[in-house]
């Protein structure tokens, strides 16, 4: 591996056909990052600018062939992945056991926490984060495992306040796991198919904060979100409405003409504490958080979603942040070995 990064000018990527991984590894001149990503993710993340910058910093991205044993490939310094399924998880766990020298980003069992919308937010609830900068919680929520006819009673018993956001319990990256609905009355929820999480909708002025985390680096952007629901609207409407992935759209709300009390970013020290705690508690390094501010309560924040290996392509300056992070991982391993 080459640890200096003084020359980080951007350049187009070179393909691996010109040089073998073994040769580069042998010379210990490159950090080799094996990646197992969907083609959609490769397109949005592994852009020419990232590959070019990485190469100039001594990092090479190499595609993992899922049809060949992982141990026969590489050798890798780092494995980067976002694929689902039990089989892939087992392959990675086995690889981690037999290759402790390789950093797998991130460990599959840690990622599993994010595949269930209840366990995803549990660590934030447990944290009970409250300091001079503000308070961070999660919306009150209820899980419906089966039997949709039980929903109206369950909602009343739990004392949840309408409207509710209904989210599939499983958040595995499938299109279905992103099919969310807003319910104005509990009876209409019987139309939906459990397993579900029913979450109180928190008015937040139609803007949310996406907090991207790459190791210790944090970047926050504003995105458009669902508009507030007024008491009047609630009393006049009934039913359950599917809504699109509004905050996932690449359109940023950073330049929009917004009410300053809505647009003000959450205090940096609060986000740093939150991110650090989630990293520690979940053992994750690559994720983002969706955070909203309760409308009219400057210091009250709610985490509503955590995503593993999100769309970093939409994070400003991700190429520099990501490559620095990869180098820091190798450097810290290197230091550990030489003490
Ligand atoms: N409790 C809530 N209160 C207010 N708005 C909410 C709440 N939960 C979700 N939303 C709105 O719905 C959107 C989608 O919800 P969420 O982020 O949980 O879904 P997702 O499918 O996991 O999204 P992503 O594409 O970020 O993975 C949020 O970005 C936000 O606009
Ligand atoms: O494919 P799944 O596992 O569902 O993950 C998605 C995340 O849930 C989203 O948060 C990502 O979008 P953002 O980076 O806008 O959060 C989204 O980014 P993308 O729109 O670039 O694909 C995905 O990473
Ligand atoms: Mg989200
Ligand atoms: Mg999500």
């Amino acid at each position: 591996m080459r640890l200096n990064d003084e020359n980080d000018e951007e350049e187009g990527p070179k393909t691996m056909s010109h040089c073998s991984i073994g040769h580069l590894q042998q010379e210990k001149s490159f950090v080799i990052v094996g990646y197992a990503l969907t083609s959609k993710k490769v397109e949005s993340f592994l852009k020419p600018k990232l590959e070019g910058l990485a190469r100039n910093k001594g990092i090479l991205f190499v595609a993992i062939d899922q049809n060949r044993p992982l141990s026969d490939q590489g050798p890798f310094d780092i494995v980067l992945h976002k694929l689902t399924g039990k089989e892939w998880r087992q392959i990675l766990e086995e690889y981690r056991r037999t290759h402790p020298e390789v950093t797998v980003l991130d460990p599959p069992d840690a990622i599993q926490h994010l595949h269930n919308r209840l366990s995803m937010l549990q660590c934030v609830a447990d944290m009970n984060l409250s300091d001079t900068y503000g308070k961070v919680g999660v919306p009150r929520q209820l899980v419906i495992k089966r039997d949709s006819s039980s929903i109206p009673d369950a909602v009343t018993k739990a004392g949840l306040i309408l409207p509710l956001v209904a989210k599939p319990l499983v958040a595995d990256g499938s299109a279905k796991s992103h099919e969310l609905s807003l319910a104005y009355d509990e009876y209409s929820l019987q139309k939906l198919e459990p397993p579900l999480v029913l979450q109180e909708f928190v008015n937040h002025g139609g803007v949310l904060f996406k907090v991207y985390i790459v190791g210790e680096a944090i970047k926050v952007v504003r995105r458009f979100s669902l508009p507030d629901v007024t008491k009047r609207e609630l009393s006049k409407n009934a039913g359950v409405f599917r809504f699109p992935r509004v905050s996932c759209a690449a359109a940023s709300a950073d330049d929009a003409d917004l009410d300053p009390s809505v647009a003000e970013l959450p205090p940096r020290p609060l986000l740093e504490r939150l991110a650090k705690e989630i990293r520690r508690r979940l053992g994750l390094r690559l994720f983002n958080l969706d955070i909203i501010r309760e409308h009219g309560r400057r210091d009250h924040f709610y985490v509503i979603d955590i995503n593993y290996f999100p769309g970093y392509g939409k994070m400003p300056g991700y190429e520099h942040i990501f490559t620095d992070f990869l180098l820091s991982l190798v450097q810290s391993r290197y230091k550990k070995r030489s003490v």
Side-chain angles (χ1 to χ4, degrees):
M1 60 203 156
R2 197 191 65 179
L3 295 178
N4 77 22
D5 62 343
E6 69 253 12
N7 177 11
D8 63 354
E9 275 166 35
E10 287 134 29
E11 186 186 274
K14 309 264 187 312
T15 60
M16 278 305 296
S17 54
H18 298 298
C19 45
S20 79
I21 309 173
H23 170 72
L24 292 164
Q25 183 81 17
Q26 236 175 22
E27 293 199 346
K28 279 280 173 229
S29 58
F30 274 86
V31 173
I32 309 293
V33 180
Y35 65 88
L37 303 169
T38 58
S39 51
K40 183 178 152 256
K41 203 75 186 171
V42 170
E43 204 179 309
S44 70
F45 171 73
L46 217 51
K47 293 184 188 168
K49 183 170 171 188
L50 175 69
E51 281 201 285
L53 183 64
R55 202 184 163 90
N56 284 340
K57 290 184 172 184
I59 303 166
L60 267 184
F61 290 101
V62 178
I64 287 170
D65 180 350
Q66 286 173 64
N67 299 314
R68 285 174 50 216
L70 204 45
S71 294
D72 293 356
Q73 302 179 54
F76 303 121
D77 295 296
I78 294 167
V79 166
L80 202 57
H81 68 100
K82 184 169 179 181
L83 296 175
T84 45
K86 202 169 167 193
E87 208 180 319
W88 172 247
R89 258 194 340 265
Q90 284 167 349
I91 291 173
L92 273 182
E93 287 298 9
E94 174 65 12
Y95 184 76
R96 285 183 73 218
R97 232 190 353 265
T98 52
H99 296 75
E101 74 288 1
V102 181
T103 304
V104 174
L105 288 173
D106 274 314
D109 54 346
I111 298 170
Q112 276 303 102
H113 278 109
L114 303 187
H115 284 172
N116 174 301
R117 293 194 193 263
L118 193 63
S119 57
M120 172 198 282
L121 297 185
Q122 194 55 50
C123 77
V124 180
D126 293 345
M127 242 180 264
N128 223 342
L129 180 49
S130 176
D131 62 19
T132 48
Y133 293 103
K135 199 171 151 57
V136 183
V138 301
R140 291 204 304 150
Q141 59 179 25
L142 170 71
V143 174
I144 305 290
K145 290 235 165 96
R146 56 189 86 80
D147 185 15
S148 55
S149 65
S150 70
I151 291 177
D153 262 0
V155 169
T156 310
K157 263 198 201 126
L160 291 189
I161 295 170
L162 293 157
L164 298 176
V165 187
K167 310 183 181 188
L169 179 62
V170 176
D172 59 2
S174 60
K176 206 171 161 48
S177 71
H178 293 293
E179 285 179 4
L180 272 58
S181 310
L182 186 63
Y184 288 90
D185 70 289
E186 61 268 47
Y187 298 99
S188 306
L189 284 164
Q190 294 178 91
K191 289 186 210 152
L192 301 177
E193 218 182 288
L196 292 170
V197 167
L198 303 179
Q199 202 174 79
E200 283 186 351
F201 179 86
V202 179
N203 279 343
H204 54 283
V207 171
L208 73 74
F209 307 101
K210 285 244 172 217
V211 183
Y212 288 94
I213 286 123
V214 178
E216 288 176 18
I218 296 178
K219 200 103 190 173
V220 192
V221 297
R222 293 180 192 88
R223 292 273 178 82
F224 291 111
S225 179
L226 295 180
D228 290 355
V229 178
T230 61
K231 288 216 171 82
R232 189 180 147 79
E233 260 176 279
L234 186 62
S235 64
K236 284 177 84 183
N237 288 301
V240 56
F241 303 94
R242 276 272 299 277
F243 62 86
R245 292 182 72 184
V246 51
S247 69
C248 191
S252 149
D254 277 323
D255 303 321
D257 186 16
L258 300 167
D259 172 351
S261 70
V262 166
E264 184 188 8
L265 296 179
R268 183 105 200 150
L270 189 69
L271 295 183
E272 274 166 9
R273 242 185 102 183
L274 178 65
K276 188 173 176 188
E277 267 301 297
I278 296 180
R279 269 200 319 262
R280 193 181 66 79
R281 288 180 187 238
L282 294 185
L284 292 171
R285 282 156 291 191
L286 301 178
F287 57 99
N288 74 3
L289 313 168
D290 289 352
I291 300 188
I292 54 178
R293 169 191 283 115
E294 189 173 346
H295 202 167
R297 299 185 81 183
R298 189 178 180 207
D299 305 332
H300 275 62
F301 299 96
Y302 292 87
V303 176
I304 53 169
D305 186 25
I306 310 181
N307 301 298
Y308 179 63
F309 202 146
Y312 285 119
K314 289 179 262 174
M315 165 184 168
Y318 85 102
E319 297 91 345
H320 287 270
I321 292 172
F322 214 93
T323 46
D324 285 347
F325 166 65
L326 294 174
L327 288 179
S328 74
L329 285 180
V330 181
Q331 256 156 351
S332 64
R333 284 225 157 208
Y334 189 67
K335 269 191 207 144
K336 268 188 211 150
R337 263 184 238 153
S338 55
V339 284

